[in-house]
Amino acid sequence: MLETWRWYGPFDKITLGEVAQTGARGIVNALHEIPYGEVWSREAIAKRAEEIRGAGFEWSVVESLPIHESIKRGDGDLAPLFENYRTSMANLAAEGVHTICYNFMPLLDWTRTDLAAPVKGGGTCLRFEAHRMAAFEIHMLKREGAEDDYPPEVCAKAASWFQQASEADREELLASIMTGMPGAFDRYDVEGLREALKSYEGIGRAELRENYRRFLEEIIPAAEELGIRMCVHPDDPPRDILGLPRIVSDGDDIAWILGAVESAANGLTLCSGSLGANPANDVPAIARQFADRIHFAHLRNVAKDPDGSFEEAAHLGGDTDMVALVRVLLEEEARRRDAGRADHTIPFRPDHGHELLTDIGAGAIPGYPMIGRLRGLAELRGIIAALTS
């Protein structure tokens, strides 16, 4: 397995020189400064690739090549957006980048209510607190019907939190929920989010699936021609939020996606944390079921609470059997190697580390500190060494 490290380019306080000290050989990167829907020019890609390769790395995976909201909603003349996406893919392939991670989450990317929740022994982690999300939806956003999406006890706790929360507490909650995608150009206040949600009125699970099918039908043939592996990232969290449907949350969703356009180019980013936040998901079993279509892996762990809350755990802690999961990935690599595939190696990266020691106060992108992820990489490296010795 290829050790990689997510690096945010000009948005990242961690330098490539520091990343080199982790021992990772691949970089996961994107041109976050380019607005969604616009073409990634070959010149811009080449400049970033030169920076990465000049530091001694390979640009292993693009994460992400974002999908414009109009494609997700299926509105307007989408032909120019699809053409721009295909052009960006062709430019990436021309510069030697052939794995593209993306997601189909409506409006928001990963969502947390706390960016610095304390962890036992010191340090902080990302956390999704069900009652705080409910407080945001019911009392701050005032979304119609939001009460029906949460159990009564969570709604009661949400009301109590909201009554006691200061204006600063509410602003902090909004900022946390809006943090998920560094470089994204849409940052909403409460009123702006209300307006943005109106654009999804009438779009349920079935409609979003059909819009996704159209995206795959437009993009996967180009990926086949270019030798690109597209790999969808699961929803995070794997549940409907803000009244918006999530359609990449479990094994059934993944089966639908991979079957919508049958192609090796239509693949999966196996994110053990996103899938692991759904109590119904057996992550190693999902990995085994779709092993031949896994093109990239995010290896992290979460600890879940009965009310739907969860937080980032240590990579060897949490609710997912990480040893069993890594064994599945190594077995798939061996199968590909035995089949004579030149691309048998699965890139992976540690994900959403705790902020530890000098991470605290260093200003790293939330979830992407130096020491916390280095600890995760070391633990994963140990699993791989033990299973392959």
Side-chain angles (χ1 to χ4, degrees):
M1 295 176 69
L2 175 66
E3 296 178 1
T4 69
W5 189 271
R6 190 167 191 182
W7 179 65
Y8 285 94
F11 294 94
D12 210 324
K13 291 183 178 293
I14 298 169
T15 68
L16 287 174
E18 291 171 323
V19 176
Q21 297 180 49
T22 70
R25 293 186 292 119
I27 291 294
V28 176
N29 185 248
L31 304 184
H32 295 294
E33 62 273 22
I34 298 178
Y36 292 7
E38 293 189 9
V39 170
W40 290 15
S41 71
R42 185 166 177 182
E43 292 75 19
I45 294 166
K47 181 179 178 181
R48 184 62 56 81
E50 181 180 1
E51 184 179 7
I52 291 169
R53 291 164 186 158
F57 299 96
E58 62 177 280
W59 188 352
S60 304
V61 180
V62 168
E63 185 181 345
S64 300
L65 181 56
I67 300 171
H68 196 277
E69 292 300 316
S70 291
I71 293 175
K72 297 175 188 177
R73 293 190 300 261
D75 57 20
D77 179 10
L78 299 180
L81 289 173
F82 286 128
E83 185 57 32
N84 286 356
Y85 202 96
R86 287 188 291 263
T87 300
S88 296
M89 292 167 61
N91 291 339
L92 285 163
E95 293 300 324
V97 186
H98 290 91
T99 303
I100 297 176
C101 171
Y102 70 98
N103 74 70
F104 212 80
M105 288 181 261
L107 211 57
L108 298 182
D109 204 296
W110 61 264
T111 304
R112 298 292 185 274
T113 59
D114 300 86
L115 302 181
V119 296
K120 185 177 180 180
T124 66
C125 71
L126 302 179
R127 180 170 174 83
F128 180 90
E129 191 76 60
H131 78 271
R132 284 163 63 89
M133 192 68 202
F136 178 77
E137 293 205 55
I138 298 168
H139 301 287
M140 292 175 61
L141 191 61
K142 301 185 187 303
R143 180 174 69 82
E144 185 177 353
E147 299 92 339
D148 299 332
D149 291 343
Y150 295 91
E153 60 272 18
V154 171
C155 292
K157 195 172 180 181
S160 177
W161 180 89
F162 181 74
Q163 290 166 4
Q164 299 176 30
S166 66
E167 188 60 31
D169 292 333
R170 298 172 190 177
E171 288 297 321
E172 181 181 5
L173 177 58
L174 172 65
S176 297
I177 292 170
M178 290 294 112
T179 294
M181 186 61 183
F185 283 77
D186 290 329
R187 286 285 192 270
Y188 304 107
D189 58 15
V190 169
E191 186 55 39
L193 183 56
R194 284 196 195 104
E195 287 301 310
L197 287 170
K198 289 180 182 178
S199 69
Y200 274 90
E201 288 179 357
I203 298 176
R205 180 179 177 83
E207 290 79 12
L208 191 62
R209 268 192 169 184
E210 286 310 304
N211 296 339
Y212 189 9
R213 185 197 301 275
R214 181 179 176 187
F215 170 79
L216 293 172
E217 290 172 346
E218 292 275 357
I219 297 305
I220 295 303
E224 292 175 338
E225 293 177 8
L226 294 166
I228 281 178
R229 295 171 293 272
M230 300 292 294
C231 40
V232 64
H233 187 286
D235 300 325
D236 187 7
R239 53 160 291 173
D240 295 356
I241 57 172
L242 301 174
L244 299 172
R246 295 288 181 98
I247 59 171
V248 195
S249 294
D250 57 25
D252 289 342
D253 288 342
I254 295 167
W256 181 89
I257 293 161
L258 301 186
V261 175
E262 285 285 355
S263 169
N266 180 21
L268 173 67
T269 296
L270 193 286
C271 181
S272 55
S274 296
L275 291 170
N278 184 339
N281 286 340
D282 180 333
V283 181
I286 289 173
R288 190 171 298 281
Q289 181 180 356
F290 303 109
D292 64 334
R293 303 280 277 277
I294 295 172
H295 300 321
F296 181 35
H298 292 177
L299 298 181
R300 62 182 175 91
N301 224 323
V302 297
K304 299 183 288 293
D305 297 335
D307 69 352
S309 303
F310 63 89
E311 69 182 29
E312 309 292 344
H315 283 65
L316 292 184
D319 300 331
T320 294
D321 185 339
M322 193 63 69
V323 175
L325 176 58
V326 172
R327 181 179 286 113
V328 171
L329 298 176
L330 289 170
E331 289 173 352
E332 174 59 19
E333 273 197 339
R335 186 194 67 79
R336 297 178 188 184
R337 186 170 53 249
D338 292 345
R341 282 181 52 176
D343 62 342
H344 62 269
T345 302
I346 298 173
F348 78 95
R349 66 175 179 83
D351 197 12
H352 289 191
H354 292 172
E355 286 199 338
L356 305 172
L357 303 172
T358 53
D359 287 334
I360 299 172
I365 289 169
Y368 295 91
M370 185 71 191
I371 295 173
R373 281 188 292 166
L374 180 55
R375 174 188 172 182
L377 179 59
E379 292 176 345
L380 295 169
R381 187 180 287 154
I383 294 174
I384 294 169
L387 292 176
T388 56
S389 61

